[in-house]
Amino acid sequence: MSILKSSFIGLACVSLAILSQGCGDDSALSSAVILSSESHEESSNSNTLTSSAVQSSSSSSAALNEVYDSSSSTNSPTSSFAESSSSKDVEPVETSSSSSHHSELDPELSSSSRHSGLDPESSSSQHFGPDPESSSSSSSRHSVPDPESSSSAKPVKIDFFNGADISEVQEYERNNTKFYDVDGKESDIFTILKNHGFNSIRLRTFVSPKAKYGYAANGCGHDAEAYGDKDHVVAYAKKVKAAGMGLLVDIHYSDVWADPGKQIIPERWRGVNNANAMADSVYAYTKDLMIALKNAGATPDMVQVGNETTPGILIHKPNSKTDCWGNGVDKAATSVNGDMGTAAGKANAAKYFNAGIKAVKEVSPTTKTVLHIERIRQASTVNWWMGVIFDDYKIPADVMGFSAYTAYGDGSPDNWKSLFNSLTSKYSKLEFIVAEYNGGDSDNHYKFDGSRKKTREMISGMNHWIGTFFWEPTIGGAWGPSLFDKRGKDLYANAKAFEEFF
């Protein structure tokens, strides 16, 4: 399509959007997004993708292979995703059995230097425009309204985040589940956690959880409501703030669990056909969510831009075999996927991380932005990932977060200390958190060996480490047991479990 024709179509779509509040689905809007983006280029240093570090092919390839080496691969605490292939010749993020998706690693990765893989059409600017389904979107990429100031929206002052992810509690409350503290007295979940030293809550978000293959899709066990969508997150965030607790919002950028096994592009963004337009969607969705939280008096203290993005972000699309947990996926087109196993994917992922961070900071400059991976048992993978993101692409996140699970082979807190100290030394301008831990040593089992207490105490005693978040006080699973015992539909705090807290 010629430039003149593209411009005409884009301008027509923009005009229609003003009259009808949008041009329909993402694929129809993509031309207008690109046109609008190109006419309003940003000049922010934080959004300029650069690649300056040089690294040998052997260390880069080894790190990529480690990410999905089946000899040490484990399930995510948030789902039961399929184990990846053990073949050293496949791209590290793949979980699908389809042979067409087990291609060899990008040959550029075996060259003598790390390639930035910048988009040749726009290596000097970012294009952050409207998400066509965001409530605050319109035809202009600068149309997202500025939030009204609110004194009640200021983050809570917390020196160390002793947190817990209780996203599932919204579903218990629908069923009128009652909570009881260790003394047997009925209370609410926030009061119980505060009674035992917790001061912060982590809440996960999904883009369109009611969509097909989404977390709350029909028949997937969580379909009573659109749990994890903007409305539910805002409503529950208000309760967190009313309880006087800190808030970490964990944005999955997917309709279902996003983790090392899959990073599925949300249904409403699957018509997007280039990385700039996808970055626009990430930006607009994030900003819309942040505005809603701020206007509700629930501005987050921290926001995760992605969840366990070790392989990258916005990589996959579902197929007819994909299940309720997102197992069994295909790779999205190279033009949009953020698979960090390829040069193009690294550049795309960098755009998406930058877009999310930019949106958060525009609404609340004091909110800390967090990036999050797992695989701490493989220091080379952690160093490779952080080298790409922070050294090569200069992503301006405030905090680096990790999942740390004994049950998944990460070892005890003593095993983490050396890596954590080395990262603090190398990245002295970053802060760090353990975004997920449990202490369980096997499926739904804990030795009560004090490792939960040791995790919190070790992290709180390290420079630049600002918090830990327990996964998940009310749910037991492969990652370890919960802190509550279930009796019927009610939950009773386990006195022995809570001894390791306060």
Side-chain angles (χ1 to χ4, degrees), residues 71-86:
S71 65
S72 59
S73 179
T74 56
N75 288 338
S76 164
T78 52
S79 64
S80 301
F81 62 81
E83 295 293 335
S84 58
S85 171
S86 60

Side-chain angles (χ1 to χ4, degrees), residues 183-257:
D183 59 4
K185 294 181 180 179
E186 183 181 350
S187 188
D188 64 273
I189 185 66
F190 302 109
T191 299
I192 292 172
L193 291 175
K194 288 175 70 176
N195 285 346
H196 299 283
F198 289 92
N199 62 15
S200 304
I201 298 299
R202 180 180 186 243
L203 298 177
R204 62 175 175 264
T205 75
F206 302 116
V207 176
S208 299
K210 271 292 186 182
K212 187 177 182 181
Y213 306 111
Y215 174 82
N218 290 336
C220 286
H222 300 277
D223 55 1
E225 297 179 21
Y227 295 112
D229 71 353
K230 180 177 73 174
D231 291 343
H232 282 81
V233 170
V234 170
Y236 216 66
K238 290 171 67 176
K239 292 186 176 183
V240 174
K241 289 298 183 178
M245 303 183 81
L247 174 63
L248 166 58
V249 172
D250 172 15
I251 305 179
H252 279 239
Y253 295 105
S254 181
D255 297 334
V256 72
W257 302 110

Side-chain angles (χ1 to χ4, degrees), residues 27-58:
S27 58
L29 186 65
S30 60
S31 295
V33 170
I34 299 167
L35 177 63
S36 174
S37 298
E38 291 176 347
S39 63
H40 295 281
E41 293 187 351
E42 297 289 343
S43 60
S44 168
N45 289 335
S46 65
N47 295 322
T48 301
L49 304 182
T50 61
S51 179
S52 58
V54 177
Q55 179 174 305
S56 68
S57 61
S58 60

Side-chain angles (χ1 to χ4, degrees), residues 136 284 423:
S136 62
L423 295 176

Side-chain angles (χ1 to χ4, degrees), residues 93-409:
V93 298
E94 290 301 330
T95 57
S96 170
S97 60
S98 173
S99 60
S100 64
H101 301 106
H102 288 262
S103 59
E104 293 185 357
L105 287 171
D106 191 313
E108 289 188 56
L109 295 178
S110 61
S111 65
S112 61
S113 66
R114 177 177 288 146
H115 294 261
S116 63
L118 294 175
D119 184 342
E121 295 184 353
S122 61
S123 62
S124 61
S125 65
Q126 288 284 7
H127 301 257
F128 301 140
D131 175 356
E133 292 195 21
S134 170
S135 63
S136 62
S137 299
S138 69
S139 59
S140 170
R141 81 181 186 90
H142 291 300
S143 64
V144 181
D146 291 331
E148 298 178 1
S149 61
S150 171
S151 59
S152 63
K154 293 181 180 178
V156 176
K157 173 63 176 176
I158 294 175
D159 293 326
F160 184 82
F161 294 85
N162 183 27
D165 191 313
I166 60 167
S167 301
E168 198 96 356
V169 172
Q170 299 172 76
E171 300 180 51
Y172 290 134
E173 290 181 348
R174 177 184 173 86
N175 296 323
N176 297 315
T177 294
K178 295 179 180 179
F179 290 86
Y180 297 86
D181 208 336
V182 294
D183 59 4
K185 294 181 180 179
E186 183 181 350
S187 188
D188 64 273
I189 185 66
F190 302 109
T191 299
I192 292 172
L193 291 175
K194 288 175 70 176
N195 285 346
H196 299 283
F198 289 92
N199 62 15
S200 304
I201 298 299
R202 180 180 186 243
L203 298 177
R204 62 175 175 264
T205 75
F206 302 116
V207 176
S208 299
K210 271 292 186 182
K212 187 177 182 181
Y213 306 111
Y215 174 82
N218 290 336
C220 286
H222 300 277
D223 55 1
E225 297 179 21
Y227 295 112
D229 71 353
K230 180 177 73 174
D231 291 343
H232 282 81
V233 170
V234 170
Y236 216 66
K238 290 171 67 176
K239 292 186 176 183
V240 174
K241 289 298 183 178
M245 303 183 81
L247 174 63
L248 166 58
V249 172
D250 172 15
I251 305 179
H252 279 239
Y253 295 105
S254 181
D255 297 334
V256 72
W257 302 110
D259 55 41
K262 71 272 180 183
Q263 298 279 332
I264 302 175
I265 297 170
E267 181 181 67
R268 76 193 207 196
W269 300 350
R270 286 179 208 144
V272 176
N273 59 14
N274 69 81
N276 289 332
M278 185 69 79
D280 289 342
S281 293
V282 169
Y283 168 84
Y285 165 77
T286 306
K287 190 163 187 178
D288 181 63
L289 175 63
M290 285 293 297
I291 288 171
L293 288 163
K294 184 167 186 176
N295 287 344
T299 303
D301 301 275
M302 294 191 284
V303 172
Q304 270 185 229
V305 180
N307 186 77
E308 290 189 332
T309 56
T310 316
I313 187 171
L314 294 165
I315 301 171
H316 301 106
K317 59 183 181 180
N319 57 49
S320 61
K321 296 181 181 179
T322 304
D323 64 19
C324 289
W325 296 273
N327 300 321
V329 291
D330 295 331
K331 183 77 68 66
T334 301
S335 60
V336 296
N337 80 62
D339 170 18
M340 287 176 60
T342 70
K346 290 176 188 175
N348 291 345
K351 290 181 181 182
Y352 306 152
F353 289 134
N354 266 322
I357 291 169
K358 178 178 171 65
V360 171
K361 292 296 188 179
E362 285 183 350
V363 177
S364 176
T366 58
T367 294
K368 297 177 186 291
T369 54
V370 184
L371 299 183
H372 174 213
I373 64 173
E374 45 82 69
R375 201 55 53 157
I376 62 168
R377 61 188 171 276
Q378 293 172 328
S380 58
T381 297
V382 173
N383 287 319
W384 162 78
W385 195 95
M386 293 183 68
V388 171
I389 294 301
F390 297 112
D391 299 338
D392 293 3
Y393 283 95
K394 315 297 184 187
I395 304 301
D398 302 304
V399 181
M400 186 67 214
F402 301 95
S403 293
Y405 289 104
T406 297
Y408 292 156

